[in-house]
Amino acid sequence: MNPGLRELFHRSTPPDVAPGQKITAEWRSPSNIAFIKYWGKRPGQLPLNPSLSMTLEKAVTTTRVTVVNEPLHPGIGSLNQQTGHPFLPKLQHLYALLMEEVPWISSWTLEVETQNSFPHSTGIASSASGISAFVLSLLSIMRSFAERPMTDASFYRAASWLSRLGSGSACRSVYGGFALWGATESVPGSSDTLAIPVDPYIHPDLKSLRDAILIVSSEPKSLASTQGHALMNAHPFAEGRMQQVDEHLKELMHAMKVADLDRMATLVENEALSLHALLMTSHPDGLLLKPASVEIIHLTREARKKGLPVFFTLDAGPNVHLLYPASHEEDVKQFIEHQLIELCSEKLVIYDRCGEGPVAVILPQA
Ligand code: DP6
């Protein structure tokens, strides 16, 4: 299901942007944390399995895109005025893909400024927020030139579709609340090429879920996500994983519909440990958990046994996300401050929560 960028942004003639004229858009877009993990991909940046995530509120990237009609130097020459910025090739690749769909942007020069709300060294996925913020800004500028009217729903679908090509998890960040990427019989309208919002299927109480991110190590990621996904290509447990993830998704959707936190805890924790089990049994293997990560997991489970509604998830790294309802915010903070903080690198904990999704800071004049 392609949202049809070609048709959506169709123009019979290129827009009239005067030489030297500047058009700016700026979006603030969040990171997200997966409850059901995307791990492994097929050609075309398609996922091996469906994934489900919660969009965060505070871990955001703010990106400003300025278009200048300067046909001598088309494309994106720099990011934050640096030609060697590590994120620049991803944006250039994405722009090249977009030009194939919408050729009238070919003469544009783009200036891009981007900033993360979280310290770069914390290992919080910046590609999801960074890619989606860039895409939303760029597409808003293009939308202001579109000849045909466009609904917001079509705009976000296009943004999700394009974000996916930059980074898989980024396609889920264009929606607030909870988002699903990947075709599954469990959810009507789900697709491998873009994410869809799933809040209508989820108990409204879960919109107040909290996420405390315990930074166990702030060293740069030891495994790039692209290399990580490739480990699934010849993985001995790939088939079993596909069955498992389908069951997990179906069950989790049900648990989230009725806000069954106990069941959610079991499923979300099992997903996180399955991701790491797959990593540990890959060739080459990836042992990304640190002793402190494991210690936090044990202490969290002990606390839950004693009645504290808190559970964990993990990305492909050592940091631990603790999830809990707003009603127990103070209790969980106490638990973290008394029992877990010493296990964190420089006692760093980022208190985040389920968020409302990306926000347009500057929109171009139509
Ligand atoms: C473990 O989206 O970072 O966080 O598509 O190569 O950019 P690319 O990968 P990326 O992978 C995220 C993997 C994960 C699980 C998840 O977010 O679903």
Side-chain angles (χ1 to χ4, degrees):
M1 213 192 313
N2 184 327
L5 267 76
R6 220 173 270 253
E7 297 80 47
L8 213 52
F9 294 95
H10 170 81
R11 281 193 62 94
S12 35
T13 54
D16 202 14
V17 184
Q21 185 189 343
K22 291 192 171 195
I23 306 145
T24 298
E26 183 174 307
W27 280 73
R28 189 165 65 233
S29 190
S31 189
N32 66 73
I33 177 70
F35 288 6
I36 300 282
K37 307 291 179 184
Y38 147 52
W39 198 238
K41 40 179 138 176
R42 294 181 280 129
Q45 183 71 356
L46 300 171
L48 275 188
N49 62 268
S51 56
L52 174 76
S53 61
M54 180 175 88
T55 296
L56 298 177
E57 174 76 12
K58 293 186 190 155
V60 293
T61 301
T62 305
T63 299
R64 178 181 293 200
V65 174
T66 303
V67 163
V68 192
N69 194 357
E70 213 181 271
L72 281 181
H73 307 284
I76 316 170
S78 63
L79 178 58
N80 289 355
Q81 284 151 11
Q82 298 163 32
T83 50
H85 196 290
F87 210 53
L88 180 60
K90 269 198 177 202
L91 302 190
Q92 287 169 328
H93 171 67
L94 211 49
Y95 197 62
L97 292 173
L98 187 57
M99 276 194 294
E100 281 172 27
E101 298 277 323
V102 187
W104 56 258
I105 62 170
S106 308
S107 65
W108 285 357
T109 299
L110 261 56
E111 291 166 5
V112 187
E113 296 285 330
T114 189
Q115 215 180 353
N116 290 329
S117 66
F118 40 92
H120 192 70
S121 57
T122 50
I124 296 179
S126 57
S127 67
S129 53
I131 294 285
S132 53
F134 168 72
V135 164
L136 286 160
S137 299
L138 180 56
L139 291 192
S140 313
I141 295 177
M142 290 166 57
R143 186 182 186 179
S144 71
F145 289 111
E147 283 177 343
R148 297 173 186 156
M150 187 186 308
T151 61
D152 283 346
S154 305
F155 173 76
Y156 284 108
R157 285 171 71 80
S160 181
W161 186 87
L162 188 61
S163 296
R164 179 197 103 241
L165 296 178
S167 175
S169 55
C171 74
R172 300 184 308 235
S173 270
V174 306
Y175 304 110
F178 300 89
L180 171 84
W181 171 38
T184 167
E185 283 177 3
S186 312
V187 184
S190 55
S191 162
D192 278 348
T193 61
L194 47 80
I196 58 166
V198 287
D199 287 8
Y201 306 105
I202 285 172
H203 197 289
D205 283 2
L206 296 181
K207 291 275 287 233
S208 65
L209 267 183
R210 301 303 197 240
D211 177 9
I213 311 166
L214 277 63
I215 308 300
V216 166
S217 163
S218 49
E219 281 168 24
K221 276 206 222 172
S222 60
L223 179 73
S225 62
T226 312
Q227 280 169 283
H229 290 288
L231 295 173
M232 282 307 284
N233 292 343
H235 200 290
F237 302 146
E239 215 181 297
R241 167 64 181 156
M242 294 311 119
Q243 280 174 19
Q244 179 203 41
V245 81
D246 269 348
E247 282 159 28
H248 278 177
L249 182 66
K250 205 188 289 164
E251 285 197 41
L252 185 65
M253 287 300 295
H254 177 72
M256 291 180 75
K257 191 176 167 188
V258 296
D260 179 345
L261 285 177
D262 286 341
R263 192 70 197 129
M264 282 175 69
T266 306
L267 292 162
V268 171
E269 291 189 350
N270 195 283
E271 265 297 303
L273 294 178
S274 297
L275 168 69
H276 281 264
L278 289 166
L279 273 159
M280 286 180 213
T281 49
S282 300
H283 288 289
D285 59 61
L287 178 48
L288 305 183
L289 296 176
K290 302 274 184 202
S293 322
V294 178
E295 187 69 27
I296 291 171
I297 288 173
H298 283 300
L299 290 168
T300 300
R301 287 185 157 178
E302 267 173 36
R304 189 160 76 249
K305 261 195 200 140
K306 289 183 193 149
L308 194 65
V310 58
F311 54 100
F312 70 85
T313 189
L314 306 153
D315 265 336
N319 300 331
V320 186
H321 290 245
L322 292 191
L323 300 157
Y324 49 98
S327 55
H328 285 71
E329 188 158 30
E330 274 319 304
D331 301 334
V332 174
K333 276 189 176 164
Q334 292 280 323
F335 164 57
I336 293 172
E337 298 298 326
H338 289 137
Q339 293 193 56
L340 307 181
I341 199 95
E342 296 296 334
L343 295 160
C344 299
S345 162
E346 293 172 35
K347 301 189 180 181
L348 187 56
V349 179
I350 298 171
Y351 287 98
D352 211 328
R353 52 166 296 167
C354 180
E356 295 294 326
V359 174
V361 183
I362 303 172
L363 283 178
Q365 300 300 321

